[in-house]
């Protein structure tokens, strides 16, 4: 007869094994963070989640399989202690974990971030005992629990825009004995009642650095953010706040993406064919093709971020062999089509979208193709400027280059 499931005891060994694996893989983790990882029962924060199936459906959509202890105890517990992001919500709708079904496609809107990235974030932000911390994006509460295990829980504030997500996280946190300050709030505006903070760490991405976060951080304090945009280029930045809305810091190396803060999400733009029909009929030869932005490489990931600084309101979509850039703000569009090993481009509207992207690619090549860590973000007088000694300044959306 099979023994009854005992996750509390079974998880002890799995937590230690996960910490060992991350250390062997080179994840930066000082003894205090390792001890926190070995103490926090991640399975309590993910009673149900979705994992992608190995195959897509007949339309090419991702098949998402529900995983719970009731459906498959072994798979559930093993996944909870793997270095994997576990999707817990789609389209802002809470699943019914009593009778979950396979999902076809959909946009994830909440998850439990892979543990290696959680520890990397807290480490990169230089969080240590005695710091007051604001976490943006409570999610399942697992990351919050790690912070509470390392710090005094009274020094930890975590906010979440989705009240149902926060309620579930609060139940898990309080059930484990952790008592941080929790609030339903939009990360764009931080949380004034607990300000000022020594560290602000966001588990979602923003198009620009929210001014409220600068105002809520002590001079000398640090903000760790993921910056994103409507081309889905990402960059992480660690800013040191000097006061009066001023901060600066270098982009961090590596490729990391987070779900976009809901208030900064890209708008729907309709049918790409409608936009393509409105651009002039006469094409020109493109100096650069779109494959430089669409390749599955670290450099392409970085280039997407730089390009979207030049065309901050553009979105990119491929339909068949054609690639479209659509700007719903200015009403501009560009369509690229392959032609005998090169690309033809047609542009319409007040903004020459692909021309601006080409200028960024030219500058990138001329500067020696610098990586993210070669760029510094300066925030001053409402301007948010990305700078490199051999690269023209780029501004984040809403900023103005002086």
């Amino acid at each position: 007869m099979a023994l009854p499931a005992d996750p509390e005891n079974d998880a002890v060994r799995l937590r230690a094994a996960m910490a060992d694996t991350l250390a062997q893989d080179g994840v930066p983790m000082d003894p205090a963070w390792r001890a926190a990882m070995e103490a926090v029962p991640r399975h309590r924060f993910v009673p149900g989640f979705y994992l992608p199936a190995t195959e897509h459906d007949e339309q090419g959509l991702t098949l998402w399989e529900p995983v719970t202890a009731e459906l498959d105890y072994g798979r559930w517990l093993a996944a909870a202690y793997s270095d994997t992001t576990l999707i817990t919500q789609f389209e802002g709708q809470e699943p019914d974990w009593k009778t979950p079904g396979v999902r076809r496609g959909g946009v994830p809107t909440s998850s439990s971030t892979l543990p290696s990235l959680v520890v990397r974030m807290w480490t990169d932000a230089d969080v240590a005992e005695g710091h007051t911390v604001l976490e943006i994006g409570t999610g399942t509460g697992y990351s919050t629990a790690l912070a509470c295990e390392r710090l005094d829980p009274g020094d930890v504030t975590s906010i979440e825009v989705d009240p149902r997500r926060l309620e579930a996280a609060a139940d898990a946190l309080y059930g484990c004995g952790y008592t941080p300050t929790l609030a339903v709030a939009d990360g764009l505006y931080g949380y004034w009642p607990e300000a000022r903070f020594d560290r602000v760490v966001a588990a979602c991405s923003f198009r620009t650095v929210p001014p409220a976060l600068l105002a809520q951080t002590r001079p000398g304090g640090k903000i760790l953010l993921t910056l994103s945009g409507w081309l889905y280029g990402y960059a992480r930045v660690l800013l040191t706040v000097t006061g009066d809305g001023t901060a600066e810091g270098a982009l961090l190396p590596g490729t990391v993406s987070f779900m976009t803060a809901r208030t900064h999400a890209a708008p729907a733009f309709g049918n790409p064919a409608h936009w393509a029909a409105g651009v002039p009929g006469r094409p020109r030869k493109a100096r650069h093709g779109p494959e430089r932005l669409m390749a599955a490489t670290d450099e392409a990931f970085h280039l997407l971020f730089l390009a979207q600084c030049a065309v901050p309101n553009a979105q990119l979509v491929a339909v068949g062999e054609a690639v479209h850039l659509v700007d719903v703000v200015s009403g501009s569009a560009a369509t690229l089509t392959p032609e005998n090993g090169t690309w033809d481009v047609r542009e319409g509207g007040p903004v020459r979208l692909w021309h601006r992207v080409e200028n960024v690619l030219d500058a990138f090549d001329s500067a020696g193709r610098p990586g993210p860590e070669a760029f510094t973000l300066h925030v001053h007088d409402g301007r948010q400027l990305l700078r490199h000694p051999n690269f023209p300044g780029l501004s984040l959306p809403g900023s103005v280059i002086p």
Side-chain angles (χ1 to χ4, degrees):
M1 184 175 67
L3 295 175
D6 184 7
E8 300 309 316
N9 285 325
D10 293 344
V12 174
R13 172 183 56 82
L14 294 174
R15 287 199 294 274
M18 180 172 70
D20 284 340
T21 298
L22 297 186
Q24 292 166 9
D25 290 343
V27 176
M29 184 164 37
D30 67 28
W33 285 119
R34 175 165 183 148
M37 178 170 287
E38 291 182 348
V40 174
R42 190 187 187 203
H43 67 277
R44 290 206 195 177
F45 296 88
V46 286
F49 49 85
Y50 280 91
L51 292 175
T54 55
E55 297 181 356
H56 292 71
D57 72 1
E58 61 279 2
Q59 296 179 321
L61 297 175
T62 300
L63 291 173
W64 295 95
E65 298 175 340
V67 182
T68 66
E70 291 73 23
L71 290 172
D72 188 333
Y73 173 77
R75 187 186 187 194
W76 167 73
L77 196 62
Y81 292 102
S82 65
D83 194 30
T84 305
T85 292
L86 307 174
I87 304 300
T88 55
Q89 187 193 75
F90 291 86
E91 319 287 354
Q93 301 298 315
E94 288 293 306
D96 179 1
W97 292 115
K98 295 180 180 178
T99 57
V102 173
R103 289 191 59 98
R104 286 173 167 77
V107 178
T109 50
S110 191
S111 67
S112 178
T113 303
L114 65 164
S116 63
L117 179 54
V118 172
V119 172
R120 180 178 166 188
M121 288 168 57
W122 290 127
T123 300
D124 285 344
D126 193 25
V127 172
E129 289 79 359
H131 285 156
T132 55
V133 173
L134 172 64
E135 177 189 40
I136 298 172
T138 313
T140 65
Y142 174 67
S143 176
T144 317
L146 288 175
C148 289
E149 188 68 38
R150 171 73 186 267
L151 309 174
D152 182 335
D155 290 334
V156 178
T157 298
S158 186
I159 61 175
E160 169 63 48
V161 73
D162 187 324
R164 293 165 299 179
R165 283 283 85 215
L166 189 70
E167 182 180 5
D171 288 344
L173 285 162
Y174 298 152
C176 291
Y178 301 120
T179 56
T181 298
L182 301 174
V184 176
D186 189 331
L188 188 65
Y189 305 103
Y191 197 61
W192 283 101
E194 298 294 314
R196 292 185 170 188
F197 301 98
D198 296 301
R199 297 291 186 270
V200 175
V201 177
C204 60
S205 65
F206 295 95
R207 297 181 75 203
T208 55
V209 181
L213 302 186
L214 297 171
Q216 291 174 29
T217 304
R218 302 181 195 279
K222 297 180 181 180
I223 301 174
L224 179 67
L225 289 180
T226 300
L227 299 170
S228 64
W230 295 350
L231 289 183
Y232 297 101
Y234 297 84
R236 290 196 313 148
V237 63
L238 181 62
L239 293 167
T240 298
V241 175
T242 55
D244 298 325
T246 300
E248 68 176 63
L251 300 190
L252 301 181
T255 58
V256 171
S257 61
F258 275 107
M259 296 174 191
T260 305
R262 297 186 188 184
T263 45
H264 278 190
F269 58 81
N271 188 335
H274 296 167
W275 288 87
V279 298
R282 177 173 293 180
R284 66 172 176 86
K285 288 297 178 184
R287 300 198 306 277
H288 298 276
E291 67 275 5
R292 291 196 65 181
L293 302 181
M294 302 172 72
T297 64
D298 289 351
E299 183 175 279
F301 194 88
H302 176 44
L303 280 174
L304 274 174
F305 177 74
L306 298 178
Q308 74 193 8
C309 291
V311 288
N313 300 317
Q315 298 179 66
L316 184 149
V317 60
V319 180
E321 292 187 321
V323 175
H324 306 279
L325 267 75
V326 174
D327 180 342
V328 299
V329 176
S330 70
S332 305
T335 294
L336 294 107
T337 52
E339 184 66 31
N340 297 323
T342 62
W343 289 84
D344 286 347
V345 58
R346 295 182 296 122
E347 297 175 287
V351 179
R352 296 174 61 196
L353 297 175
W354 193 248
H355 177 73
R356 288 192 179 186
V357 171
E358 288 175 317
N359 287 343
V360 170
L361 295 175
D362 287 340
F364 180 74
D365 291 340
S366 296
R369 302 169 78 163
E373 61 277 12
F375 291 83
T376 302
L377 182 65
H378 298 258
V379 182
H380 181 69
D381 288 340
R383 299 180 174 93
Q384 300 190 15
L385 306 178
L386 194 64
R387 289 177 174 159
H388 179 278
N390 300 315
F391 195 101
L394 293 171
S395 62
L396 300 190
S399 299
V400 178
I401 299 178

